[in-house]
Amino acid sequence: MLLVQDRAEEDRRTSDGAAAESEARRPDAVFCALLRGLRRPFHGEDDKESYCKAGKPEVNSNNNNNLFSVDDVRSGHPVSRARGAHEIRCPMLNSISLAQVNPATCVSRDQRFSTVCRFECPRGYEMKKSKLRTLSLTCGLDGQWNGKPETCDDVEAPEITCPQDMTVNNEPQMSYAEVTWDEPIIKDNSQGNDPNAKIEITKSHTSPKKFEIGKNQVVTYSVKDGANLTASCNFRVTVQGG
């Protein structure tokens, strides 16, 4: 009776040990899912499926049949372990006029898997399609970016501030007054950001200007930036007889 119990206990331990060993070699489900999404590092579908059926390769294994270690892929740097396999990299991105890029190497060389490239437009600008000021692109397992850089469009109208209304006296023995005023203050977000920025200013009158007594003259200024965004202001000039 004792012999039978000992044999049963030994069988149980053997079974538990085999199960533990099997579990230790069972491919990580998430890891295998990632591998099945890869396009470039494997020679074919058989390579991917055989890997996940065979179990985890040792990280420091000298077995040349192992394409990648688990740590290699999870770190984003799968290293070739078989002829023809190679590290996952995404192609260099195109630079965007006016946008800052971080890291700067995103537009100068290809990038490793999982790298995030951040494009940021200046204040008052946004991406043409996404309408975002900041756009982040990530290098995927398929060696492709999850989007494309977009141009920065100016969406902020210029600002213009005119002088206050003016009341002046006429010239001695004259029916008019020659009036002088300061030019409006103009600000636009494109200035200082876009080296090719252009500001167009139109005005109804040019200083100095002669105005007749008793007539309220309205002086109007308008401004348009390179994105055809506009703003305007005006002030009134009154000439009174002395």
Side-chain angles (χ1 to χ4, degrees), residues 117-128:
C117 293
R118 187 170 182 264
F119 293 81
E120 183 174 359
C121 294
R123 181 188 62 82
Y125 288 77
E126 64 182 25
M127 301 292 175
K128 188 176 187 66

Side-chain angles (χ1 to χ4, degrees), residues 48-98:
K48 286 186 266 186
E49 294 303 325
S50 62
Y51 171 88
C52 286
K53 289 178 181 178
K56 298 179 183 178
E58 295 296 329
V59 172
N60 296 317
S61 172
N62 292 322
N63 181 1
N64 289 329
N65 291 326
N66 293 335
L67 294 179
F68 305 117
S69 72
V70 174
D71 289 344
D72 283 337
V73 172
R74 283 178 173 167
S75 68
H77 312 145
V79 178
S80 171
R81 294 180 183 272
R83 187 174 62 182
H86 54 276
E87 181 182 22
I88 301 173
R89 300 186 75 89
C90 290
M92 176 183 75
L93 290 166
N94 294 326
S95 60
I96 301 177
S97 177
L98 307 184

Side-chain angles (χ1 to χ4, degrees), residues 18 20 22 32 45 48 55 61 70-71 80 84 104 111 115 119 141 189 191 199 202 205 211 232 234 240 242:
S22 175
C32 285
E45 294 299 320
K48 286 186 266 186
S61 172
V70 174
D71 289 344
S80 171
Q111 299 295 314
T115 297
F119 293 81
L141 279 165
N189 60 302
Q191 296 174 320
I199 299 294
T202 57
H205 302 80
F211 291 109
S232 63
N234 60 70
Q240 59 186 12

Side-chain angles (χ1 to χ4, degrees), residues 202-234:
T202 57
K203 49 191 173 183
S204 60
H205 302 80
T206 300
S207 177
K209 176 69 176 177
K210 292 180 180 179
F211 291 109
E212 297 292 327
I213 295 175
K215 292 184 178 180
N216 293 327
Q217 300 287 343
V218 177
V219 180
T220 301
Y221 279 78
S222 297
V223 60
K224 180 173 68 173
D225 64 15
N228 292 323
L229 300 171
T230 62
S232 63
C233 67
N234 60 70

Side-chain angles (χ1 to χ4, degrees), residues 61-186:
S61 172
N62 292 322
N63 181 1
N64 289 329
N65 291 326
N66 293 335
L67 294 179
F68 305 117
S69 72
V70 174
D71 289 344
D72 283 337
V73 172
R74 283 178 173 167
S75 68
H77 312 145
V79 178
S80 171
R81 294 180 183 272
R83 187 174 62 182
H86 54 276
E87 181 182 22
I88 301 173
R89 300 186 75 89
C90 290
M92 176 183 75
L93 290 166
N94 294 326
S95 60
I96 301 177
S97 177
L98 307 184
Q100 291 186 341
V101 185
N102 186 31
T105 55
C106 290
V107 295
S108 62
R109 62 171 181 261
D110 59 1
Q111 299 295 314
R112 289 174 171 174
F113 160 68
S114 79
T115 297
V116 177
C117 293
R118 187 170 182 264
F119 293 81
E120 183 174 359
C121 294
R123 181 188 62 82
Y125 288 77
E126 64 182 25
M127 301 292 175
K128 188 176 187 66
K129 293 183 179 180
S130 63
K131 306 303 180 184
L132 300 173
R133 183 182 173 191
T134 301
L135 179 66
S136 295
L137 302 178
T138 304
C139 177
L141 279 165
D142 59 356
Q144 300 296 324
W145 297 97
N146 66 337
K148 295 181 179 180
E150 302 175 21
T151 57
C152 292
D153 284 353
D154 186 1
V155 295
E156 185 174 285
E159 299 177 4
I160 183 169
T161 304
C162 280
Q164 297 293 320
D165 292 347
M166 305 171 64
T167 299
V168 297
N169 294 323
N170 67 313
E171 302 288 339
Q173 308 300 318
M174 297 293 179
S175 62
Y176 63 86
E178 186 171 75
V179 182
T180 301
W181 61 85
D182 294 330
E183 292 296 301
I185 298 173
I186 298 173

